[in-house]
Amino acid sequence: MADRAPIDRAGAHAWTALVLTALAGAVDGAGFLSLGQQFVANQTGNAVLLAVSLSGELTGRSDYLSAVGPLCSLGGFSAGAVLASLATRRHVLTSFGVPALLVAEVVFLALAGLAGRFEVAIALAAFAMGVQSIHAARIGLAGVTTTVLTGTLIALSVNLSGNREDLRSARLQAGVWAVYLLGAGLGSVLAHEVSFSAVCWSAAAVAALMALAGFIEDRFQKP
C-alpha cells in the first residue's frame, strides 16, 4: 500500500483558526444584537458590562444594564472551558481525539438555537465558545485563541517587529482579526434579518464540518 501523503498540520490549523474565529465573531455579533447586548465569546466585554451594572446598582445610577446576562455568559464560558480542559487533560477523549471538542461545540450551539429564554441561550452559546477556546489551545495555535482577540492583537503587535517567522505568525493573527470582524458583521445581519437561532445553527453546521475534517486529519496521521 502506498504511503499516505503527510498532512500540512500548520496550514490546516491556520485554516481552523480562521474559520472558528469567524464563527465566534458571528455568534458574538448575533448575541450582542439579539440577546440584550451581551457577548458570548468576548468575555472581556462581559466583565466590563458586569462591573458597570453592579456599580450602577451600588450607586443608584440608572444605566439600564443588568448583571444577569454577563453572569450567564461568564458562567457558561468558564464551565465550557473548564470541562473541555479537564476532558482532554485526563484523556477522557482519547478514543476520539481533540476534534471531539468541536462535536461538543456543535451540540451546545444547536441547543442555544433552540433555547426559549435568552439567559439560557446566552449560557449555552457561551459554553460552546468556552469549549472552542480550549480546542484552540489543544491544537497549539500560538498567539490565537479564536474567541478572545485582545491577546491576539498583542501578539500581532509584537510579531510585526520580529523576524521572518514572526511575520508569518503576524499574517495569521491579522487574518484572525479580519475574519472576526467579518463574522461579527455577517452574524448581526443574519440575526436581524432571520434570528439568533439561525446564526447558531449555521455556526453549528460549519463547526460540524470542521470536526469532520479534524477526525479525517487524525486518521491520516495514524500509521
Side-chain angles (χ1 to χ4, degrees):
M1 181 183 295
D3 292 337
R4 290 167 174 169
I7 292 176
D8 178 7
R9 281 187 175 269
H13 290 171
W15 278 106
T16 299
L18 292 170
V19 173
L20 293 182
T21 303
L23 292 188
V27 179
D28 244 356
F32 189 82
L33 195 67
S34 304
L35 303 177
Q37 297 186 331
Q38 308 301 321
F39 299 104
V40 294
N42 177 16
Q43 296 305 317
T44 303
N46 282 322
V48 173
L49 292 173
L50 177 61
V52 171
S53 65
L54 291 177
S55 69
E57 291 290 334
L58 291 173
T59 61
R61 190 179 66 241
S62 297
D63 297 321
Y64 304 102
L65 292 174
S66 171
V68 174
L71 283 173
C72 288
S73 187
L74 285 163
F77 187 95
S78 299
V82 168
L83 290 175
S85 179
L86 288 173
T88 49
R89 182 176 298 160
R90 296 182 181 182
H91 306 294
V92 175
L93 299 179
T94 299
S95 299
F96 303 101
V98 174
L101 293 178
L102 293 181
V103 176
E105 178 178 350
V106 169
V107 171
F108 280 90
L109 283 174
L111 290 174
L114 292 172
R117 293 177 58 86
F118 91 96
E119 299 93 342
V120 177
I122 290 172
L124 290 171
F127 188 100
M129 293 297 100
V131 171
Q132 179 176 302
S133 69
I134 299 302
H135 175 270
R138 291 293 186 247
I139 64 175
L141 293 174
V144 176
T145 64
T146 76
T147 53
V148 182
L149 298 188
T150 303
T152 302
L153 180 60
I154 294 170
L156 169 61
S157 302
V158 171
N159 286 331
L160 283 174
S161 60
N163 56 30
R164 184 174 298 178
E165 184 65 31
D166 293 332
L167 290 175
R168 278 198 291 267
S169 296
R171 285 197 293 271
L172 173 60
Q173 290 149 1
V176 161
W177 262 92
V179 297
Y180 181 86
L181 293 174
L182 178 62
L186 292 175
S188 65
V189 170
L190 184 57
H192 181 265
E193 297 297 327
V194 186
S195 67
F196 175 74
S197 296
V199 176
C200 286
W201 294 331
S202 298
V206 175
L209 292 176
M210 298 302 294
L212 178 60
F215 286 125
I216 293 173
E217 177 188 353
D218 277 1
R219 178 180 176 84
F220 272 80
Q221 287 296 319
K222 292 179 180 178

